Amino acid sequence: MLIAFSVSPLGGESETVGPAVAAAVRVVRESGLPHQLTAMYTIVEGEWDEVLAVVKRATDVLLADYPRVSLVLKADIRPGHTGQLTAKVDRVERYLAGE
């Protein structure tokens, strides 16, 4: 499964959420799961329980420092398929190349 998620603090006096997002991404990287950081979401690939556990840990890291956190999730649940983090993009690139 793939989960795209965005987690960030709400409120506060800072105009940037970069340090908080970096703390959440660090949790993802330390998980060892395949992932991709984009400008809007972090995409993580793995089994249901392990991916959701990573999202929860990333959220908890922010909750330790901020009283309120926003979490957005989007999931592509496709049992029996792995490597979709890159395979989906590769398929679209082949269509764009005229294959």
Side-chain angles (χ1 to χ4, degrees):
M1 88 178 300
L2 295 173
I3 285 190
F5 79 102
S6 171
V7 61
S8 64
L10 291 176
E13 298 181 22
S14 175
E15 291 185 19
T16 181
V17 296
V21 172
V25 171
R26 189 171 294 112
V27 169
V28 174
R29 288 184 175 174
E30 290 172 354
S31 76
L33 293 176
H35 63 279
Q36 180 181 38
L37 177 64
T38 74
M40 298 278 298
Y41 293 96
T42 300
I43 306 166
V44 184
E45 183 171 21
E47 296 298 320
W48 180 264
D49 290 337
E50 62 187 359
V51 173
L52 287 180
V54 168
V55 171
K56 182 180 184 328
R57 285 195 305 274
T59 303
D60 288 344
V61 163
L62 270 62
L63 284 171
D65 293 325
Y66 301 94
R68 188 175 181 189
V69 172
S70 171
L71 173 65
V72 177
L73 293 170
K74 182 176 181 177
D76 181 353
I77 304 163
R78 195 172 181 196
H81 288 80
T82 60
Q84 295 303 298
L85 189 64
T86 56
K88 291 175 79 165
V89 175
D90 292 344
R91 283 192 294 274
V92 172
E93 290 293 346
R94 285 195 305 270
Y95 285 118
L96 289 169
E99 290 182 19

